[in-house]
Amino acid sequence: MKTTTQDEATVSEELAQLSVNNPNLVEMDDPPPPQITSEGIITTDITHKFKAAASTLEPGELIKDGFFTLFESVGSLEIMDPKMDSGCLAPGESLDEEYDVTRPLLPSEVLGIIDQLLCLEMAWHLGYPLSQTLFTNVYIEAMQMPSPTTIQEAHFIRSDDNQGDGAAQNPMFTVLRAYCLGLLKACWYVNERIKSEHYYEEEDFVTNTYHRSLLEDIDRTEIRDEILAARRLLHSIRHEISEEVSQALSLRLELRTAFLRAIELSELRSNPDSLSLPWSQMKAVWAAINKSHHLGKPVPEAFSTKIQRRVASTMPPRPIVHLSFEETFKHFNNLLEDGIEVLKVLNYHDPQSLLNFVLTFQAKKPQPLVYIRTLLQNFLFKDMVILGNLSIRQVLDADLSIVVLPGSRLLDPANDAVEAPYDPRFAMAHQMEVFRQRAAQSYLDIHRAFCQNRCRVRRTLCHSIQDWETVQIDAEDIDQLLAVQLEEQPMSYTTTLTSSSEPALSLPLSSWAYLYKLRLMEWIVQLGFELETYQPDELAGMYWYLSYLAKTRAQHVERIKAFTVSRYNEKRIAGTSKVTKSEEEQHKRSLSYLRVTLIDAAVTWELADGLSCLYTVLHRLKLIPTYPGPYSSDELRYDIRMKPFSTVGLPELPSFETFKNATAQPDTSTADLLTYALRAVEGAKRGFHDGLAVLNEKEAFTVGTHERWVARTKNTLKSVISTSIAIGAVQRALNNNGENNNKECRDDVLHNDLKVEVPKPDKTYHEWWIVPKITVTEKKKAAGGEGV
Amino acid sequence: MEPLPPRVEELPGELKYIQYEHSLEAQYLPAIRALISKDLSEPYSIFVYRYFLYQWAHLCYMALNPLDDSLIGVVICKLEPHASHSPPTLRGYIAMLAVSASYRGHGIATALVRKAIDAMAARNADEIVLETEETNIPAMRLYERLGFLRSKKLHRYYLNGNSAYRLVLLLRKIDPDAATDLALDDADQLLPTPVPAPPVRTQAVG
């Protein structure tokens, strides 16, 4: 809800005076009709006709065509409403800001203005428009309007205003100007970067520059020279203006040069160590800037919303966004840290590590700012060259090799050179190319999707699964054709999760697609937890569905593994061609990948299973508030909740009956449910200790992102442990009531004895694992028993 | 934030719930605007109110003080075919809901919403949707108690930078086979058309 400083009566009063009801307006003389003369145009004054027609309407009657939508009505403005009409002035108010940019400034005032600009710059990065942030500053406006075309013109005091008194030469103006030059140029680069990548306008960021150039035409080297000159000047006058303040100003100028340098280097997309130098420099400077903030003297009058009247915008004038310096400091610090970190993506090792980089980097809390996220997209995709030097095919083939086709003939680049159409290798090259054409975009889109804001990641993935559904189907056709070329025989296989199967083909390409589709589906559910889309009474069901998906993935990985192992063994035994060292390496790597994926899927499945059972028990004990609601039904709610998955063929969406049964488990006793839950969670724990915890970065496929991955993995482990603690608490309470044989009576006692808190995602160890906090209330106090 | 006015302990008798009609504009529109604007940082022009009230007066309900017929609460809705689905659904939209701060906590908002839902259901609405600010816990609780689900989160949906949840209440089964793009709106495409509609965002019931 919004805050307001007016009470209802005042609002009423103000509204009564507005618009159509305003008697002051009626009393005014009719303005003369405008003189319209244009060659070949005959004008007719229809004022009277219009008035006559309008007089037949009741006030409030709406005349509109079918194209007048809510959008138009929301966009309409009321003239003479000061909140909507940018030209509406209070009595005695001037239209323009009357601040004199030539008035002398104290060094501390320049510092104060710069620090305020830093806050506004960060507010812009966070998503507020320039009109409410940097463009509220009178110096920025004066520098940009009229638009400067040379570095000399780029001054808030233009030479012709100067009238020879040398005002522009004032050292403090030189410093402020240099700062503004560096600031605006950086903003131009940032804005261009964001515009050139995928982002959501007005949601992530507002790219509107309101016809201000952000110094587009001025060369960055010229700007850098001005900043250097200003720093030299500061150095020379440091004794006159206090060493401390001079130093503080110089640091801020250094920040500007370093930022420009960081931006310039990022275009190179190579050699991340050297690219990170200016970022590290900024980080050091930023810490020092924070310490000297108190030296500045704010100049609030140098900022005004009135400037918005000058910027070409349909927006009603809106207040200046005030971000505190403390907030700004935090956000800037994150920006700089993320800026250093994001460069490391350029250290490419393998496609799975790359994907893990993107996943873990974007999962950071708070999520990296949109500039960093677009920078990452730029590194990844610019000109269809991955990370500056890899073709899409290289990355895609490497991924296929890791996941399904280690050492496969299908990925042999030599196939491309075969010209004989009857040679199987000719067909292989062709079919693989058909597949790449089909799958590459979908594959890259996963990375792109994760570069969006978290809400959009989830929404985008909901679309992507439909795309992957067809990728999988198309891939299966190609698999069939390739099986013929490879003379593959159907094979039956047995895994720990499935009994012996019917003889089947390996279908590597569609297996690959299916694996991604399953991961996408899991991510959608997991992001649902993260974004608090599910209410507490849905958690049992959604963790059940997550466990169903993860278990399906585990089974699928086992299938892939069975074929991979068999193919390798065949090759070794057949001895027709020696298994090369490279093939052996690839095979080992693939098995290593399948192993970590299997453990990950198993841990997810077991922890989700355990949590689901725990929530089912809490439901039974009426410790989770449920709202059956007078409208809709559980089945209709299930329909909405599962909408994103309803069109997926495999794995098929469980029926509502199945879901209901799995969530309520009516045939299992509470004690058994808890025992089962604990066992599942213990299984998850083993998966960590024996599996995930012992992996190095190559084995985990987290090269370049291992630290973040380990941290996330540890947080999942903490979730596992806290889940088993929660289960234990309920078990103990249950056991303490062991003498109570009457089930309903016992449940009532438990209901009163236990207190459950379902934490917000940001209050958990891992935002994908909403583990309830369970406390046993003291017997004496146990009375009413509130659910939450 | 301004301190809230003291809440009334007891309602002044049974409130009158009446359906809005155009002839009531002069009497009630200023009060409706005042009540709704109070919780908004950005104002809506009169056209926004008229857009809804003129076309869907029958989906607008007011709660009136029985003593003097003054406005205590209001709900404003629309009901239209929603075309980005195939087949299109008849989608109700709760655009604005407000209850005067001193009268909150008496179930007035819930009563208003129920009247609106009943009216839309009677006109064959398939589903009812709305958006509410993520920080507006009372509003979300109200709707969730009635059976609404959060279908998605909308990042920085409001001009103040806050995110929103889309809440959905499905009133009848929609044939999944007939739909091609069930999950989502056209606004969900990977490459969206920029500039989303400025949100209508009044759910002031806390």
Side-chain angles (χ1 to χ4, degrees):
Chain A
M1 252 172 298
K2 312 299 168 300
T3 58
T4 171
T5 52
Q6 294 167 309
D7 61 34
E8 263 165 66
T10 339
V11 176
S12 250
E13 205 173 291
E14 279 181 16
L15 287 170
Q17 290 171 11
L18 291 179
S19 71
V20 289
N21 302 327
N22 192 335
N24 301 332
L25 285 181
V26 181
E27 279 167 24
M28 281 198 284
D29 290 335
D30 286 350
Q35 299 299 315
I36 303 166
T37 48
S38 181
E39 216 170 310
I41 291 177
I42 301 161
T43 59
T44 315
D45 184 354
I46 59 159
T47 311
H48 293 291
K49 273 191 187 167
F50 181 80
K51 278 187 165 175
S55 69
T56 65
L57 296 173
E58 288 290 314
E61 212 169 310
L62 197 63
I63 305 295
K64 64 170 196 69
D65 64 18
F67 300 104
F68 188 89
T69 64
L70 180 56
F71 185 88
E72 277 77 33
S73 77
V74 171
S76 62
L77 300 177
E78 265 175 75
I79 305 303
M80 294 309 288
D81 180 335
K83 277 186 169 175
M84 292 186 237
D85 179 353
S86 60
C88 179
L89 301 177
E93 190 190 358
S94 66
L95 184 69
D96 277 323
E97 188 47 56
E98 283 155 1
Y99 183 93
D100 176 13
V101 291
T102 64
R103 84 162 174 94
L105 287 171
L106 296 170
S108 59
E109 288 179 321
V110 173
L111 192 61
I113 292 171
I114 288 178
D115 282 4
Q116 181 61 31
L117 287 172
L118 279 167
C119 296
L120 293 170
E121 182 183 9
M122 185 41 67
W124 177 61
H125 274 279
L126 291 172
Y128 295 95
L130 285 168
S131 60
Q132 284 179 270
T133 56
L134 290 169
F135 287 4
T136 59
N137 178 256
V138 292
Y139 295 97
I140 295 279
E141 175 64 5
M143 181 179 270
Q144 291 195 96
M145 289 309 270
S147 184
T149 51
T150 63
I151 186 81
Q152 289 75 24
E153 278 175 9
H155 200 309
F156 44 81
I157 304 170
R158 299 288 165 100
S159 50
D160 49 332
D161 303 340
N162 250 341
Q163 295 164 359
D165 63 2
Q169 304 309 315
N170 175 319
M172 282 307 106
F173 290 158
T174 305
V175 171
L176 183 56
R177 172 191 176 234
Y179 184 87
C180 291
L181 288 172
L183 165 64
L184 287 172
K185 192 69 190 177
C187 289
W188 184 81
Y189 281 112
V190 167
N191 206 48
E192 290 301 305
R193 168 60 50 241
I194 293 172
K195 278 199 294 190
S196 66
E197 302 300 337
H198 193 250
Y199 75 101
Y200 292 88
E201 182 73 33
E202 295 206 344
E203 182 176 306
D204 290 312
F205 197 73
V206 181
T207 56
N208 195 345
T209 57
Y210 311 96
H211 301 293
R212 266 67 182 160
S213 70
L214 294 175
L215 308 185
E216 179 176 3
D217 300 328
I218 316 261
D219 193 80
R220 66 179 148 202
T221 55
E222 286 184 303
I223 289 175
R224 197 185 55 212
D225 291 346
E226 293 291 329
I227 299 175
L228 290 177
R231 291 186 69 192
R232 278 196 300 274
L233 177 66
L234 271 174
H235 187 73
S236 69
I237 59 167
R238 66 190 187 282
H239 300 304
E240 296 152 43
I241 65 167
S242 131
E243 191 122 8
E244 247 186 334
V245 174
S246 152
Q247 175 71 16
L249 288 168
S250 191
L251 282 167
R252 283 151 179 80
L253 290 173
E254 187 181 349
L255 182 79
R256 299 283 31 143
T257 17
F259 200 177
L260 285 174
R261 182 75 183 143
I263 290 166
E264 185 180 356
L265 289 178
S266 70
E267 306 292 325
L268 300 176
R269 292 209 291 170
S270 64
N271 202 352
D273 287 344
S274 64
L275 262 57
S276 73
L277 290 177
W279 288 99
S280 305
Q281 185 191 0
M282 271 194 281
K283 207 160 173 276
V285 169
W286 184 246
I289 285 178
N290 187 42
K291 289 196 188 101
S292 54
H293 172 64
H294 68 280
L295 299 171
K297 180 173 178 286
V299 187
E301 59 274 21
F303 301 84
S304 167
T305 49
K306 285 187 182 180
I307 296 168
Q308 287 182 45
R309 295 203 172 108
R310 298 255 156 218
V311 306
S313 160
T314 53
M315 283 269 234
R318 317 249 322 274
I320 300 174
V321 178
H322 283 289
L323 196 65
S324 71
F325 196 78
E326 290 72 39
E327 283 288 304
T328 303
F329 176 76
K330 242 171 37 203
H331 287 299
F332 238 108
N333 232 14
N334 289 340
L335 174 75
L336 300 176
E337 272 172 20
D338 292 343
I340 294 168
E341 242 177 273
V342 75
L343 298 170
K344 294 185 181 148
V345 76
L346 295 166
N347 289 322
Y348 176 80
H349 183 269
D350 66 82
Q352 286 297 329
S353 292
L354 174 62
L355 180 58
N356 278 328
F357 184 99
V358 176
L359 292 177
T360 56
F361 184 71
Q362 297 296 347
K364 285 181 71 163
K365 294 281 173 285
Q367 198 187 6
L369 288 171
V370 63
Y371 174 60
I372 300 293
R373 291 194 269 121
T374 48
L375 205 53
L376 177 56
Q377 291 181 54
N378 176 264
F379 290 154
L380 287 170
F381 309 117
K382 191 186 172 207
D383 302 329
M384 301 294 274
V385 177
I386 311 292
L387 302 173
N389 62 10
L390 297 156
S391 71
I392 293 171
R393 175 176 173 170
Q394 271 173 296
V395 179
L396 188 58
D397 280 9
D399 199 54
L400 288 166
S401 163
I402 291 174
V403 179
V404 283
L405 290 170
S408 168
R409 292 164 65 199
L410 294 175
L411 295 174
D412 188 350
N415 294 347
D416 295 348
V418 176
E419 287 178 3
Y422 298 110
D423 189 316
R425 288 174 301 166
F426 180 86
M428 286 178 207
H430 173 68
Q431 290 302 332
M432 285 304 291
E433 196 46 32
V434 171
F435 173 73
R436 285 187 201 101
Q437 296 284 346
R438 178 68 191 85
Q441 189 63 51
S442 309
Y443 176 69
L444 295 181
D445 277 350
I446 296 178
H447 301 73
R448 175 96 64 189
F450 271 97
C451 292
Q452 306 308 312
N453 69 62
R454 298 302 269 178
C455 302
R456 285 287 179 179
V457 174
R458 182 163 186 273
R459 293 165 68 180
T460 307
L461 294 180
C462 286
H463 281 282
S464 302
I465 47 173
Q466 316 220 4
D467 177 37
W468 279 92
E469 175 86 358
T470 56
V471 171
Q472 187 189 343
I473 292 166
D474 295 347
E476 198 168 324
D477 290 342
I478 300 172
D479 278 329
Q480 306 277 3
L481 295 171
L482 288 170
V484 175
Q485 301 301 333
L486 291 164
E487 297 175 1
E488 183 182 337
Q489 296 305 314
M491 173 190 105
S492 72
Y493 59 94
T494 317
T495 70
T496 51
L497 295 169
T498 42
S499 50
S500 182
S501 73
E502 292 287 305
L505 292 171
S506 61
L507 306 176
L509 301 179
S510 55
S511 288
W512 176 85
Y514 186 39
L515 183 60
Y516 276 105
K517 190 177 76 183
L518 285 168
R519 291 197 75 186
L520 256 54
M521 294 172 79
E522 285 175 60
W523 286 327
I524 291 169
V525 178
Q526 286 164 324
L527 283 162
F529 296 118
E530 178 177 332
L531 297 171
E532 232 188 315
T533 311
Y534 312 130
Q535 290 149 239
D537 64 337
E538 293 182 82
L539 295 175
M542 293 322 290
Y543 277 118
W544 174 76
Y545 186 57
L546 177 61
S547 101
Y548 167 79
L549 292 173
K551 185 170 186 179
T552 308
R553 173 158 66 105
Q555 286 167 340
H556 181 56
V557 171
E558 291 227 303
R559 181 191 191 276
I560 294 174
K561 190 174 152 194
F563 281 100
T564 299
V565 169
S566 138
R567 199 166 45 234
Y568 183 69
N569 288 343
E570 252 173 47
K571 206 169 192 176
R572 261 197 339 204
I573 293 160
T576 43
S577 58
K578 204 169 164 287
V579 177
T580 65
K581 183 116 183 96
S582 152
E583 279 169 359
E584 202 176 303
E585 281 296 309
Q586 288 182 46
H587 182 75
K588 256 173 66 185
R589 208 156 71 118
S590 182
L591 287 185
S592 166
Y593 169 77
L594 292 172
R595 180 174 133 75
V596 62
T597 309
L598 188 62
I599 299 171
D600 172 73
V603 164
T604 305
W605 144 37
E606 294 186 297
L607 178 52
D609 209 7
L611 271 173
S612 172
C613 292
L614 174 59
Y615 276 111
T616 297
V617 168
L618 297 179
H619 269 286
R620 283 189 189 176
L621 301 176
K622 300 192 175 56
L623 289 165
I624 300 282
T626 50
Y627 308 119
Y631 299 103
S632 204
S633 67
D634 286 343
E635 184 165 3
L636 289 171
R637 272 189 284 275
Y638 181 70
D639 284 358
I640 303 184
R641 184 51 79 213
M642 295 301 184
K643 240 179 183 179
F645 311 111
S646 64
T647 49
V648 174
L650 195 70
E652 198 183 1
L653 182 65
S655 70
F656 174 66
E657 282 307 312
T658 309
F659 172 81
K660 201 172 83 176
N661 217 35
T663 308
Q665 305 202 56
D667 302 329
T668 312
S669 74
T670 299
D672 286 352
L673 268 179
L674 291 170
T675 310
Y676 176 83
L678 203 57
R679 209 163 48 219
V681 173
E682 288 303 319
K685 206 185 284 177
R686 271 196 307 279
F688 277 103
H689 291 310
D690 307 345
L692 300 180
V694 296
L695 299 176
N696 65 34
E697 60 174 12
K698 283 192 180 141
E699 292 161 336
F701 291 82
T702 52
V703 181
T705 186
H706 196 62
E707 256 174 60
R708 273 197 306 267
W709 179 82
V710 167
R712 261 181 101 68
T713 305
K714 280 193 180 145
N715 286 337
T716 311
L717 177 60
K718 286 181 191 160
S719 309
V720 169
I721 293 166
S722 50
T723 304
S724 64
I725 291 172
I727 296 169
V730 182
Q731 271 182 329
R732 271 194 307 283
L734 189 69
N735 292 339
N736 291 343
N737 285 284
E739 74 280 4
N740 208 332
N741 285 328
N742 180 323
K743 185 176 161 298
E744 270 172 35
C745 180
R746 186 200 65 201
D747 284 2
D748 280 350
V749 172
L750 283 175
H751 174 89
N752 292 335
D753 283 0
L754 295 171
K755 197 167 170 301
V756 175
E757 185 202 334
V758 178
K760 301 262 172 209
D762 58 351
K763 297 280 183 290
T764 58
Y765 289 117
H766 191 302
E767 61 280 354
W768 290 355
W769 301 107
I770 312 293
V771 181
K773 285 194 178 68
I774 294 181
T775 41
V776 181
T777 53
E778 285 176 45
K779 281 275 182 201
K780 275 172 279 178
K781 289 178 189 165
E786 283 282 309
V788 170
Chain B
M1 192 194 257
E2 167 204 13
L4 286 172
R7 293 197 173 188
V8 296
E9 291 289 331
E10 235 178 287
L11 291 179
E14 190 135 334
L15 300 193
K16 286 202 241 173
Y17 287 92
I18 65 164
Q19 191 180 303
Y20 182 85
E21 50 191 81
H22 185 56
S23 61
L24 296 173
E25 175 169 313
Q27 193 183 349
Y28 283 112
L29 186 53
I32 292 175
R33 287 189 75 180
L35 188 59
I36 288 168
S37 308
K38 196 173 147 37
D39 292 291
L40 292 180
S41 53
E42 317 296 327
Y44 289 127
S45 78
I46 194 158
F47 302 107
V48 177
Y49 295 93
R50 285 184 175 151
Y51 175 82
F52 287 105
L53 294 177
Y54 193 74
Q55 300 185 84
W56 295 280
H58 51 279
L59 301 179
C60 168
Y61 286 87
M62 300 189 288
L64 304 181
N65 187 328
L67 302 179
D68 58 1
D69 278 352
S70 60
L71 186 79
I72 288 177
V74 64
V75 63
I76 296 176
C77 310
K78 66 172 180 161
L79 178 64
E80 280 180 306
H82 184 66
S84 78
H85 288 203
S86 172
T89 58
L90 192 56
R91 177 184 269 198
Y93 180 68
I94 300 178
M96 308 183 200
L97 171 66
V99 170
S100 168
S102 47
Y103 289 93
R104 290 177 192 169
H106 293 281
I108 301 170
T110 303
L112 286 166
V113 169
R114 292 193 65 160
K115 285 188 185 303
I117 295 174
D118 291 340
M120 291 189 269
R123 286 173 170 78
N124 297 320
D126 295 305
E127 55 178 348
I128 293 169
V129 307
L130 61 104
E131 290 93 30
T132 180
E133 215 167 326
E134 62 173 332
T135 51
N136 193 347
I137 307 295
M140 273 191 288
R141 192 169 299 153
L142 183 162
Y143 288 112
E144 286 167 359
R145 279 175 200 267
L146 290 173
F148 282 80
L149 274 193
R150 301 178 194 182
S151 71
K152 60 183 129 191
K153 190 171 179 181
L154 309 161
H155 182 67
R156 285 181 65 89
Y157 186 70
Y158 294 119
L159 290 171
N160 64 8
N162 279 348
S163 297
Y165 284 102
R166 163 83 39 80
L167 298 182
V168 183
L169 179 74
L170 196 59
L171 292 175
R172 62 177 75 200
K173 238 180 156 48
I174 296 166
D175 180 6
D177 295 329
T180 52
D181 181 16
L182 274 170
L184 317 132
D185 304 340
D186 35 13
D188 268 354
Q189 298 304 332
L190 189 59
L191 295 165
T193 44
V195 194
V200 170
R201 51 130 174 254
T202 314
Q203 307 289 343
V205 295

